[in-house]
Coordinates of all heavy atoms in Angstrom, one line a residue:
M1 N -11.7 -71.5 29.3 CA -13.1 -71.8 29.1 C -13.8 -70.5 28.5 O -13.4 -69.4 28.8 CB -13.7 -72.2 30.4 CG -13.1 -73.4 31.1 SD -13.0 -74.9 30.1 CE -14.6 -75.2 29.6
L2 N -14.8 -70.8 27.8 CA -15.6 -69.7 27.2 C -17.0 -69.6 27.8 O -17.5 -70.6 28.3 CB -15.7 -69.9 25.7 CG -14.4 -69.9 24.9 CD1 -14.7 -70.2 23.4 CD2 -13.7 -68.5 25.0
Y3 N -17.5 -68.4 27.7 CA -18.9 -68.1 28.1 C -19.3 -68.6 29.5 O -18.6 -68.3 30.4 CB -19.9 -68.6 27.0 CG -19.5 -68.1 25.6 CD1 -19.0 -69.0 24.7 CD2 -19.6 -66.7 25.4 CE1 -18.7 -68.5 23.4 CE2 -19.2 -66.2 24.1 CZ -18.8 -67.1 23.1 OH -18.4 -66.6 21.9
D4 N -20.3 -69.5 29.6 CA -20.8 -69.9 30.9 C -20.3 -71.3 31.2 O -21.0 -72.1 32.0 CB -22.3 -69.8 31.0 CG -23.0 -70.8 30.0 OD1 -22.4 -71.2 29.1 OD2 -24.2 -71.1 30.3
R5 N -19.2 -71.7 30.6 CA -18.7 -73.1 30.8 C -17.8 -73.3 32.0 O -17.1 -72.3 32.4 CB -18.0 -73.6 29.6 CG -18.7 -73.5 28.3 CD -20.0 -74.4 28.3 NE -20.5 -74.7 27.0 CZ -21.4 -74.0 26.4 NH1 -21.8 -72.9 26.9 NH2 -21.8 -74.4 25.2
L6 N -17.8 -74.5 32.6 CA -17.0 -74.8 33.8 C -16.1 -76.0 33.4 O -16.6 -76.9 32.8 CB -17.8 -75.2 35.0 CG -18.9 -74.2 35.5 CD1 -19.7 -74.8 36.5 CD2 -18.2 -72.9 36.0
L7 N -14.9 -76.0 33.8 CA -14.0 -77.2 33.7 C -14.0 -77.8 35.1 O -13.5 -77.2 36.0 CB -12.6 -76.8 33.2 CG -11.7 -78.0 33.0 CD1 -12.2 -78.9 31.8 CD2 -10.3 -77.5 32.7
V8 N -14.4 -79.1 35.2 CA -14.6 -79.7 36.5 C -13.8 -81.0 36.5 O -13.8 -81.8 35.5 CB -16.1 -80.0 36.8 CG1 -16.2 -80.8 38.1 CG2 -16.8 -78.7 36.8
K9 N -13.1 -81.3 37.6 CA -12.4 -82.5 37.8 C -13.3 -83.4 38.6 O -13.7 -83.0 39.7 CB -11.1 -82.3 38.5 CG -10.3 -83.6 38.9 CD -9.8 -84.3 37.7 CE -8.9 -85.5 38.1 NZ -8.7 -86.4 37.1
H10 N -13.8 -84.5 38.1 CA -14.8 -85.4 38.7 C -14.1 -86.0 39.9 O -13.0 -86.5 39.9 CB -15.2 -86.5 37.7 CG -16.4 -87.2 38.1 ND1 -16.4 -88.2 39.0 CD2 -17.7 -87.0 37.8 CE1 -17.6 -88.6 39.2 NE2 -18.5 -88.0 38.4
A11 N -14.8 -85.9 41.1 CA -14.3 -86.5 42.3 C -14.3 -88.0 42.1 O -15.3 -88.6 41.7 CB -15.1 -86.1 43.5
S12 N -13.2 -88.7 42.4 CA -13.1 -90.1 42.2 C -13.9 -90.9 43.3 O -13.5 -90.8 44.5 CB -11.7 -90.6 42.1 OG -11.0 -90.3 43.3
D13 N -15.0 -91.5 43.0 CA -15.7 -92.3 43.9 C -15.6 -93.8 43.5 O -16.5 -94.6 43.8 CB -17.2 -91.9 43.9 CG -17.4 -90.6 44.6 OD1 -16.5 -90.2 45.4 OD2 -18.4 -89.9 44.3
D14 N -14.5 -94.1 42.8 CA -14.3 -95.5 42.4 C -14.0 -96.4 43.6 O -13.5 -95.9 44.6 CB -13.2 -95.6 41.4 CG -13.5 -94.8 40.1 OD1 -14.7 -94.5 39.9 OD2 -12.5 -94.5 39.4
G15 N -14.4 -97.6 43.5 CA -14.2 -98.6 44.6 C -15.3 -98.7 45.5 O -16.4 -98.3 45.2
E16 N -15.1 -99.3 46.6 CA -16.2 -99.6 47.5 C -16.6 -98.4 48.3 O -15.8 -97.5 48.5 CB -15.7 -100.7 48.6 CG -15.5 -102.0 47.9 CD -15.0 -103.0 49.0 OE1 -14.6 -102.6 50.1 OE2 -15.1 -104.2 48.7
R17 N -17.9 -98.3 48.7 CA -18.4 -97.2 49.5 C -19.0 -97.8 50.7 O -19.3 -99.0 50.8 CB -19.5 -96.5 48.7 CG -18.9 -95.8 47.5 CD -20.0 -94.9 46.8 NE -21.2 -95.7 46.5 CZ -21.4 -96.4 45.3 NH1 -20.4 -96.4 44.4 NH2 -22.5 -97.0 45.1
K18 N -19.2 -97.0 51.7 CA -19.8 -97.5 53.0 C -21.0 -96.6 53.2 O -21.0 -95.4 53.1 CB -18.8 -97.4 54.1 CG -19.3 -98.1 55.4 CD -18.3 -98.0 56.5 CE -17.4 -99.1 56.3 NZ -16.5 -99.3 57.5
S19 N -22.2 -97.3 53.5 CA -23.4 -96.6 53.8 C -23.4 -96.0 55.2 O -22.5 -96.3 55.9 CB -24.6 -97.5 53.7 OG -24.6 -98.4 54.8
G20 N -24.3 -95.1 55.5 CA -24.4 -94.5 56.8 C -24.5 -95.5 57.9 O -24.1 -95.3 59.0
G21 N -25.1 -96.7 57.6 CA -25.3 -97.7 58.6 C -24.1 -98.7 58.7 O -24.2 -99.6 59.5
G22 N -23.1 -98.5 57.9 CA -21.9 -99.3 58.0 C -21.8 -100.4 57.0 O -20.9 -101.2 57.0
I23 N -22.8 -100.5 56.1 CA -22.8 -101.6 55.1 C -21.9 -101.3 54.0 O -21.9 -100.2 53.4 CB -24.2 -101.8 54.6 CG1 -25.2 -102.2 55.7 CG2 -24.3 -102.9 53.4 CD1 -26.6 -102.3 55.3
V24 N -21.0 -102.2 53.6 CA -20.1 -102.0 52.5 C -20.8 -102.2 51.2 O -21.4 -103.3 51.0 CB -18.8 -102.9 52.7 CG1 -17.9 -102.7 51.5 CG2 -18.1 -102.6 53.9
I25 N -20.7 -101.3 50.3 CA -21.3 -101.4 49.0 C -20.2 -101.6 47.9 O -19.4 -100.7 47.8 CB -22.2 -100.1 48.6 CG1 -23.2 -99.9 49.7 CG2 -22.8 -100.3 47.2 CD1 -23.9 -98.6 49.6
P26 N -20.1 -102.7 47.2 CA -19.1 -103.0 46.3 C -19.1 -102.0 45.1 O -20.2 -101.5 44.8 CB -19.3 -104.4 45.9 CG -20.7 -104.7 46.2 CD -21.1 -103.8 47.3
A27 N -18.0 -101.8 44.4 CA -18.0 -100.9 43.3 C -18.8 -101.4 42.1 O -19.3 -100.6 41.3 CB -16.5 -100.8 42.8
T28 N -19.1 -102.7 42.0 CA -19.9 -103.3 40.9 C -21.4 -103.2 41.2 O -22.1 -103.6 40.3 CB -19.5 -104.7 40.7 OG1 -19.7 -105.5 41.9 CG2 -18.0 -104.8 40.3
A29 N -21.8 -102.7 42.3 CA -23.3 -102.7 42.6 C -24.0 -101.7 41.8 O -23.4 -100.6 41.5 CB -23.5 -102.3 44.1
Q30 N -25.1 -102.0 41.3 CA -25.9 -101.1 40.4 C -26.6 -100.2 41.4 O -27.4 -100.6 42.3 CB -26.9 -101.9 39.6 CG -27.7 -101.1 38.6 CD -26.9 -100.6 37.5 OE1 -25.8 -101.0 37.3 NE2 -27.4 -99.6 36.8
M31 N -26.4 -98.9 41.2 CA -27.0 -97.9 42.0 C -28.1 -97.1 41.2 O -28.0 -97.1 40.0 CB -26.0 -96.9 42.5 CG -24.9 -97.5 43.4 SD -25.5 -98.1 45.0 CE -25.9 -96.5 45.7
A32 N -29.0 -96.5 41.9 CA -29.9 -95.6 41.2 C -29.2 -94.4 40.7 O -28.0 -94.2 41.0 CB -31.0 -95.1 42.2
K33 N -29.8 -93.5 39.9 CA -29.2 -92.4 39.4 C -28.8 -91.5 40.6 O -29.5 -91.2 41.5 CB -30.1 -91.6 38.5 CG -30.4 -92.3 37.2 CD -31.3 -91.5 36.3 CE -31.7 -92.3 35.1 NZ -32.6 -91.5 34.3
R34 N -27.5 -91.0 40.5 CA -27.0 -90.2 41.6 C -26.3 -89.0 41.0 O -25.7 -89.0 39.9 CB -25.9 -91.0 42.4 CG -26.4 -92.2 43.1 CD -25.4 -92.8 43.8 NE -24.8 -92.0 44.9 CZ -24.2 -92.4 46.0 NH1 -24.0 -93.6 46.1 NH2 -23.8 -91.5 46.8
L35 N -26.4 -87.9 41.7 CA -25.6 -86.7 41.3 C -24.2 -86.9 41.8 O -23.9 -87.7 42.7 CB -26.2 -85.5 42.0 CG -27.7 -85.1 41.5 CD1 -28.2 -83.9 42.3 CD2 -27.7 -84.9 40.0
A36 N -23.2 -86.2 41.2 CA -21.8 -86.4 41.5 C -21.2 -85.0 41.9 O -21.6 -84.0 41.4 CB -21.1 -87.0 40.3
W37 N -20.2 -85.1 42.7 CA -19.4 -83.9 43.1 C -18.2 -83.8 42.3 O -17.6 -84.8 41.9 CB -19.0 -84.0 44.6 CG -20.1 -83.8 45.5 CD1 -20.8 -84.8 46.2 CD2 -20.7 -82.6 45.9 NE1 -21.8 -84.2 47.0 CE2 -21.8 -82.8 46.9 CE3 -20.5 -81.2 45.6 CZ2 -22.5 -81.9 47.4 CZ3 -21.3 -80.2 46.2 CH2 -22.3 -80.6 47.1
G38 N -17.8 -82.6 42.0 CA -16.5 -82.3 41.3 C -15.9 -81.0 41.7 O -16.6 -80.1 42.3
D39 N -14.6 -80.8 41.5 CA -13.9 -79.6 41.8 C -13.7 -78.7 40.5 O -13.3 -79.2 39.5 CB -12.6 -79.9 42.4 CG -12.7 -80.7 43.7 OD1 -13.6 -80.4 44.5 OD2 -12.0 -81.7 43.9
V40 N -14.1 -77.5 40.6 CA -14.0 -76.5 39.5 C -12.5 -76.1 39.3 O -11.9 -75.6 40.2 CB -14.9 -75.3 39.7 CG1 -14.7 -74.3 38.6 CG2 -16.3 -75.7 39.9
L41 N -12.0 -76.3 38.1 CA -10.6 -76.0 37.8 C -10.5 -74.8 36.9 O -9.5 -74.1 36.8 CB -9.9 -77.2 37.1 CG -9.8 -78.4 38.0 CD1 -9.2 -79.5 37.2 CD2 -9.1 -78.2 39.3
G42 N -11.6 -74.5 36.2 CA -11.6 -73.3 35.3 C -13.0 -72.8 35.0 O -13.9 -73.6 35.0
I43 N -13.1 -71.5 34.8 CA -14.5 -71.0 34.5 C -14.4 -70.0 33.3 O -13.3 -69.4 33.0 CB -15.1 -70.2 35.7 CG1 -14.2 -69.1 36.1 CG2 -15.3 -71.2 36.9 CD1 -14.8 -68.2 37.2
G44 N -15.5 -69.9 32.6 CA -15.6 -68.9 31.5 C -15.9 -67.5 32.0 O -16.1 -67.3 33.2
N45 N -15.8 -66.6 31.1 CA -15.9 -65.2 31.5 C -17.3 -64.7 31.8 O -17.5 -63.6 32.3 CB -15.3 -64.3 30.4 CG -15.9 -64.5 29.1 OD1 -16.6 -65.4 28.9 ND2 -15.5 -63.7 28.1
H46 N -18.4 -65.5 31.5 CA -19.7 -65.2 31.9 C -20.3 -66.0 33.0 O -21.5 -66.0 33.3 CB -20.6 -65.4 30.6 CG -20.3 -64.4 29.5 ND1 -20.6 -63.1 29.6 CD2 -19.8 -64.6 28.3 CE1 -20.2 -62.5 28.5 NE2 -19.7 -63.4 27.7
V47 N -19.5 -66.7 33.8 CA -19.9 -67.4 35.0 C -20.0 -66.5 36.1 O -19.2 -65.7 36.4 CB -18.9 -68.6 35.3 CG1 -19.3 -69.2 36.6 CG2 -18.8 -69.6 34.2
R48 N -21.2 -66.5 36.8 CA -21.5 -65.5 37.8 C -21.3 -66.0 39.3 O -20.8 -65.3 40.1 CB -22.9 -65.0 37.7 CG -23.1 -64.2 36.4 CD -24.5 -63.7 36.4 NE -25.1 -64.0 35.2 CZ -26.4 -63.9 34.9 NH1 -27.2 -63.4 35.8 NH2 -26.8 -64.2 33.7
N49 N -21.8 -67.3 39.5 CA -21.9 -67.7 40.9 C -20.8 -68.8 41.3 O -20.8 -69.1 42.5 CB -23.3 -68.3 41.2 CG -24.3 -67.3 41.0 OD1 -24.2 -66.2 41.4 ND2 -25.4 -67.7 40.3
V50 N -20.1 -69.3 40.4 CA -19.1 -70.3 40.7 C -17.7 -69.7 40.6 O -17.4 -69.0 39.6 CB -19.3 -71.5 39.8 CG1 -18.3 -72.6 40.1 CG2 -20.7 -72.1 39.9
K51 N -16.8 -70.1 41.5 CA -15.4 -69.7 41.5 C -14.5 -70.9 41.3 O -14.9 -72.0 41.6 CB -15.0 -68.9 42.7 CG -15.9 -67.8 43.1 CD -15.6 -66.6 42.2 CE -16.4 -65.4 42.6 NZ -17.3 -64.8 41.6
V52 N -13.3 -70.7 40.8 CA -12.3 -71.8 40.8 C -12.1 -72.3 42.2 O -12.0 -71.5 43.1 CB -11.0 -71.2 40.1 CG1 -9.9 -72.3 40.2 CG2 -11.3 -70.8 38.7
S53 N -12.0 -73.6 42.3 CA -11.7 -74.3 43.5 C -13.0 -74.6 44.3 O -13.0 -75.3 45.3 CB -10.7 -73.7 44.4 OG -11.2 -72.6 45.1
D54 N -14.2 -74.1 43.8 CA -15.5 -74.5 44.4 C -15.7 -76.0 44.1 O -15.3 -76.5 43.2 CB -16.6 -73.7 43.9 CG -16.6 -72.3 44.5 OD1 -15.9 -72.0 45.5 OD2 -17.4 -71.4 44.0
R55 N -16.6 -76.6 44.9 CA -17.0 -78.0 44.7 C -18.5 -77.9 44.3 O -19.3 -77.2 44.9 CB -16.9 -78.8 46.0 CG -17.0 -80.2 45.9 CD -16.4 -80.9 47.1 NE -16.5 -82.3 47.1 CZ -15.7 -83.1 46.5 NH1 -14.7 -82.7 45.9 NH2 -15.9 -84.4 46.5
V56 N -18.8 -78.5 43.1 CA -20.1 -78.4 42.6 C -20.8 -79.8 42.5 O -20.1 -80.8 42.3 CB -20.1 -77.8 41.2 CG1 -19.7 -76.3 41.3 CG2 -19.2 -78.5 40.2
L57 N -22.1 -79.8 42.5 CA -22.9 -81.0 42.4 C -23.6 -81.0 41.0 O -24.2 -80.0 40.7 CB -23.9 -81.1 43.5 CG -24.8 -82.3 43.6 CD1 -23.9 -83.5 44.0 CD2 -25.9 -82.1 44.7
F58 N -23.4 -82.1 40.2 CA -24.0 -82.1 38.9 C -24.4 -83.5 38.5 O -24.1 -84.5 39.2 CB -23.0 -81.6 37.9 CG -21.7 -82.4 37.8 CD1 -21.6 -83.4 36.8 CD2 -20.7 -82.2 38.7 CE1 -20.5 -84.2 36.8 CE2 -19.5 -83.0 38.6 CZ -19.4 -84.0 37.6
N59 N -25.2 -83.6 37.5 CA -25.7 -84.9 37.0 C -24.7 -85.5 36.0 O -24.4 -84.9 35.0 CB -27.1 -84.7 36.3 CG -27.7 -86.0 35.8 OD1 -27.1 -87.0 35.9 ND2 -28.9 -85.9 35.4
P60 N -24.1 -86.6 36.4 CA -23.1 -87.2 35.5 C -23.6 -87.5 34.1 O -22.8 -87.6 33.2 CB -22.7 -88.5 36.2 CG -23.2 -88.4 37.6 CD -24.3 -87.4 37.6
E61 N -24.9 -87.7 33.9 CA -25.4 -88.0 32.6 C -25.5 -86.8 31.7 O -25.6 -86.9 30.5 CB -26.8 -88.7 32.7 CG -26.7 -90.0 33.4 CD -28.1 -90.7 33.6 OE1 -29.1 -90.1 33.1 OE2 -28.1 -91.8 34.1
D62 N -25.4 -85.6 32.2 CA -25.5 -84.4 31.5 C -24.1 -83.8 31.2 O -24.0 -82.6 30.9 CB -26.3 -83.3 32.2 CG -27.7 -83.7 32.3 OD1 -28.2 -84.5 31.5 OD2 -28.4 -83.1 33.2
Q63 N -23.1 -84.6 31.3 CA -21.7 -84.1 31.2 C -21.1 -84.3 29.8 O -21.5 -85.2 29.1 CB -20.8 -84.7 32.2 CG -20.6 -86.2 32.0 CD -19.8 -86.8 33.2 OE1 -19.5 -86.2 34.1 NE2 -19.5 -88.1 33.0
L64 N -20.1 -83.5 29.5 CA -19.3 -83.8 28.3 C -17.9 -83.9 28.8 O -17.3 -83.1 29.6 CB -19.3 -82.5 27.4 CG -20.7 -82.2 26.8 CD1 -20.7 -80.9 26.0 CD2 -21.1 -83.4 25.8
E65 N -17.2 -85.1 28.5 CA -15.9 -85.3 29.0 C -14.9 -84.9 27.9 O -15.1 -85.0 26.7 CB -15.7 -86.8 29.3 CG -16.5 -87.3 30.5 CD -16.2 -88.7 30.9 OE1 -15.5 -89.4 30.1 OE2 -16.7 -89.1 31.9
V66 N -13.7 -84.4 28.4 CA -12.6 -84.1 27.6 C -11.3 -84.6 28.2 O -11.2 -84.6 29.5 CB -12.6 -82.5 27.4 CG1 -12.3 -81.8 28.7 CG2 -11.5 -82.2 26.4
E67 N -10.4 -85.0 27.4 CA -9.1 -85.5 27.9 C -8.0 -84.5 27.6 O -7.8 -84.1 26.4 CB -8.8 -86.9 27.3 CG -7.6 -87.5 28.0 CD -7.4 -88.9 27.5 OE1 -8.4 -89.6 27.4 OE2 -6.2 -89.3 27.3
V68 N -7.3 -84.0 28.6 CA -6.2 -83.1 28.5 C -5.0 -83.7 29.1 O -5.0 -83.9 30.4 CB -6.6 -81.7 29.1 CG1 -5.4 -80.7 28.9 CG2 -7.8 -81.2 28.4
H69 N -3.9 -83.9 28.4 CA -2.7 -84.4 28.9 C -2.9 -85.7 29.7 O -2.3 -85.9 30.8 CB -1.9 -83.4 29.8 CG -1.6 -82.2 29.1 ND1 -0.6 -82.2 28.1 CD2 -2.0 -80.9 29.2 CE1 -0.5 -80.9 27.6 NE2 -1.3 -80.2 28.3
G70 N -3.8 -86.6 29.2 CA -4.0 -87.9 29.9 C -5.0 -87.8 31.0 O -5.3 -88.9 31.6
Q71 N -5.5 -86.7 31.4 CA -6.4 -86.5 32.5 C -7.8 -86.3 31.9 O -8.0 -85.5 31.0 CB -6.1 -85.4 33.4 CG -4.8 -85.5 34.2 CD -4.9 -86.5 35.3 OE1 -6.0 -86.8 35.8 NE2 -3.8 -87.1 35.7
T72 N -8.8 -86.9 32.5 CA -10.2 -86.7 32.1 C -10.9 -85.6 32.9 O -10.9 -85.7 34.2 CB -11.0 -88.0 32.2 OG1 -10.3 -89.0 31.4 CG2 -12.4 -87.8 31.7
Y73 N -11.5 -84.7 32.2 CA -12.2 -83.6 32.9 C -13.6 -83.5 32.3 O -13.9 -84.1 31.3 CB -11.5 -82.2 32.6 CG -10.1 -82.2 33.1 CD1 -9.0 -82.4 32.3 CD2 -9.8 -81.9 34.5 CE1 -7.7 -82.3 32.7 CE2 -8.5 -81.9 34.9 CZ -7.5 -82.1 34.1 OH -6.2 -82.1 34.5
V74 N -14.5 -82.8 33.0 CA -15.9 -82.6 32.6 C -16.1 -81.2 32.3 O -15.7 -80.3 33.0 CB -16.8 -83.0 33.8 CG1 -18.3 -82.8 33.4 CG2 -16.6 -84.5 34.1
V75 N -16.8 -80.9 31.2 CA -17.2 -79.6 30.8 C -18.7 -79.4 31.0 O -19.5 -80.2 30.5 CB -16.9 -79.3 29.3 CG1 -17.3 -77.9 28.9 CG2 -15.4 -79.4 29.1
L76 N -19.1 -78.4 31.8 CA -20.5 -78.2 32.2 C -20.9 -76.7 31.9 O -20.0 -75.9 31.9 CB -20.7 -78.4 33.7 CG -20.5 -79.8 34.3 CD1 -20.6 -79.6 35.8 CD2 -21.5 -80.7 33.8
R77 N -22.1 -76.5 31.7 CA -22.7 -75.1 31.7 C -23.0 -74.8 33.2 O -23.3 -75.7 34.0 CB -23.9 -75.0 30.9 CG -23.6 -75.3 29.4 CD -24.8 -75.1 28.6 NE -24.7 -73.7 28.2 CZ -25.4 -73.2 27.2 NH1 -26.1 -73.9 26.5 NH2 -25.2 -71.9 26.9
E78 N -22.9 -73.5 33.5 CA -23.2 -73.1 34.9 C -24.6 -73.5 35.3 O -24.9 -73.9 36.4 CB -23.0 -71.6 35.0 CG -23.2 -71.1 36.5 CD -22.9 -69.7 36.6 OE1 -23.0 -68.9 35.6 OE2 -22.7 -69.2 37.8
R79 N -25.6 -73.4 34.3 CA -26.9 -73.8 34.7 C -27.2 -75.3 35.0 O -28.2 -75.6 35.5 CB -27.9 -73.3 33.5 CG -27.7 -74.1 32.3 CD -28.6 -73.6 31.2 NE -28.5 -74.5 30.0 CZ -28.9 -74.1 28.8 NH1 -29.4 -72.9 28.7 NH2 -28.8 -74.9 27.8
D80 N -26.2 -76.1 34.6 CA -26.3 -77.6 34.9 C -25.8 -77.9 36.3 O -25.9 -79.1 36.7 CB -25.5 -78.4 33.9 CG -26.1 -78.2 32.5 OD1 -27.3 -78.0 32.4 OD2 -25.4 -78.4 31.5
V81 N -25.3 -76.9 37.1 CA -24.9 -77.2 38.4 C -26.1 -77.2 39.3 O -26.9 -76.2 39.3 CB -23.9 -76.1 38.8 CG1 -23.5 -76.2 40.3 CG2 -22.6 -76.2 38.0
H82 N -26.2 -78.2 40.1 CA -27.4 -78.3 41.1 C -27.1 -77.7 42.4 O -28.0 -77.2 43.1 CB -27.7 -79.8 41.3 CG -28.3 -80.5 40.0 ND1 -29.6 -80.4 39.7 CD2 -27.7 -81.1 39.0 CE1 -29.8 -81.0 38.6 NE2 -28.6 -81.5 38.2
A83 N -25.8 -77.7 42.9 CA -25.5 -77.2 44.2 C -24.0 -76.8 44.2 O -23.2 -77.2 43.3 CB -25.7 -78.2 45.3
L84 N -23.7 -75.9 45.1 CA -22.3 -75.4 45.2 C -21.9 -75.4 46.7 O -22.6 -74.9 47.5 CB -22.3 -73.9 44.7 CG -21.1 -73.0 45.0 CD1 -20.0 -73.6 44.2 CD2 -21.4 -71.6 44.6
A85 N -20.8 -76.1 46.9 CA -20.2 -76.1 48.3 C -18.9 -75.3 48.2 O -18.0 -75.6 47.4 CB -20.0 -77.5 48.7
S86 N -18.8 -74.3 49.1 CA -17.6 -73.5 49.1 C -17.3 -73.1 50.5 O -18.1 -73.2 51.4 CB -17.7 -72.3 48.1 OG -18.6 -71.4 48.7
D87 N -16.1 -72.5 50.7 CA -15.7 -71.9 52.0 C -16.2 -70.5 52.2 O -16.1 -69.9 53.3 CB -14.2 -71.9 52.1 CG -13.6 -73.3 52.1 OD1 -14.3 -74.2 52.6 OD2 -12.5 -73.5 51.7
R88 N -16.9 -69.9 51.2 CA -17.4 -68.6 51.3 C -18.7 -68.6 52.2 O -19.7 -69.2 51.8 CB -17.7 -68.0 49.9 CG -16.5 -67.8 49.1 CD -16.9 -67.3 47.7 NE -17.4 -68.5 47.0 CZ -18.2 -68.4 46.0 NH1 -18.8 -67.3 45.7 NH2 -18.6 -69.5 45.3
T89 N -18.7 -68.0 53.3 CA -19.8 -68.1 54.2 C -20.5 -66.7 54.4 O -21.2 -66.6 55.4 CB -19.4 -68.7 55.6 OG1 -18.4 -67.9 56.1 CG2 -19.0 -70.1 55.4
E90 N -20.2 -65.8 53.6 CA -20.8 -64.5 53.8 C -22.3 -64.5 53.6 O -23.0 -63.6 54.1 CB -20.2 -63.4 52.9 CG -20.4 -63.6 51.4 CD -19.3 -64.4 50.7 OE1 -18.4 -64.9 51.4 OE2 -19.4 -64.5 49.5
H91 N -22.9 -65.5 52.9 CA -24.3 -65.6 52.7 C -25.0 -66.7 53.5 O -26.2 -66.9 53.3 CB -24.6 -65.8 51.2 CG -24.1 -64.6 50.4 ND1 -25.0 -63.6 49.9 CD2 -22.9 -64.2 49.9 CE1 -24.3 -62.7 49.2 NE2 -23.1 -63.1 49.2
G92 N -24.3 -67.4 54.3 CA -24.9 -68.5 55.0 C -24.0 -69.6 55.4 O -22.9 -69.3 55.9
T93 N -24.4 -70.8 55.2 CA -23.7 -72.0 55.7 C -22.5 -72.5 54.8 O -21.7 -73.2 55.3 CB -24.6 -73.2 55.8 OG1 -25.1 -73.5 54.5 CG2 -25.8 -72.8 56.8
G94 N -22.5 -72.1 53.6 CA -21.4 -72.6 52.7 C -21.9 -73.7 51.8 O -21.2 -74.1 50.9
L95 N -23.1 -74.1 51.9 CA -23.7 -75.1 51.0 C -24.9 -74.5 50.4 O -25.9 -74.2 51.2 CB -24.0 -76.4 51.8 CG -24.6 -77.6 50.9 CD1 -23.6 -78.0 49.8 CD2 -24.9 -78.7 51.7
Y96 N -24.9 -74.3 49.2 CA -26.1 -73.7 48.5 C -26.8 -74.6 47.6 O -26.2 -75.2 46.7 CB -25.6 -72.5 47.7 CG -24.8 -71.5 48.5 CD1 -23.4 -71.5 48.6 CD2 -25.5 -70.6 49.3 CE1 -22.7 -70.7 49.4 CE2 -24.8 -69.7 50.1 CZ -23.4 -69.8 50.2 OH -22.7 -68.9 51.0
L97 N -28.0 -74.9 47.9 CA -28.8 -75.8 47.1 C -29.9 -75.1 46.3 O -30.4 -74.1 46.7 CB -29.5 -76.9 48.0 CG -28.6 -77.8 48.7 CD1 -29.3 -78.6 49.7 CD2 -27.7 -78.6 47.8

């Protein structure tokens, strides 16, 4: 990856989901705009706050998809990341919004 770009594997949320109250939401249900989680697989040399294997929250409508060896990945700029979830807890809880 170059500059401030991230290569992200989109977390698969295909299929049915269950709400907090236990209601099953079918995969075909129309949902409001939602942010999506993904795992960072590669970073550019100017990325400052994100590391490989971090989990990031991003807007799926702002993404560029690329297919490599039959797998679909997302290319994002670091500034398009809304939140970062990682195991690094030296600065707090591990979830940075």
Side-chain angles (χ1 to χ4, degrees):
M1 301 306 301
L2 297 174
Y3 306 113
D4 65 340
R5 302 300 198 271
L6 306 171
L7 183 67
V8 176
K9 176 71 173 160
H10 196 279
S12 62
D13 290 336
D14 298 339
E16 294 180 342
R17 294 184 305 274
K18 190 177 276 193
S19 71
I23 298 172
V24 176
I25 302 169
T28 58
Q30 184 71 12
M31 298 292 293
K33 293 181 182 178
R34 296 180 64 155
L35 297 177
W37 287 101
D39 299 316
V40 177
L41 301 178
I43 60 172
N45 54 353
H46 293 290
V47 174
R48 294 185 231 170
N49 298 316
V50 180
K51 305 285 186 236
V52 173
S53 77
D54 283 348
R55 195 161 175 86
V56 294
L57 185 67
F58 62 95
N59 185 351
E61 294 179 0
D62 293 338
Q63 68 184 4
L64 298 172
E65 291 186 354
V66 63
E67 187 172 321
V68 179
H69 299 293
Q71 295 285 337
T72 302
Y73 301 99
V74 177
V75 176
L76 299 171
R77 297 185 88 158
E78 185 179 20
R79 69 180 182 199
D80 294 332
V81 172
H82 293 274
L84 168 66
S86 71
D87 293 331
R88 295 177 282 152
T89 57
E90 66 267 7
H91 294 261
T93 62
L95 181 62
Y96 303 99
L97 298 175

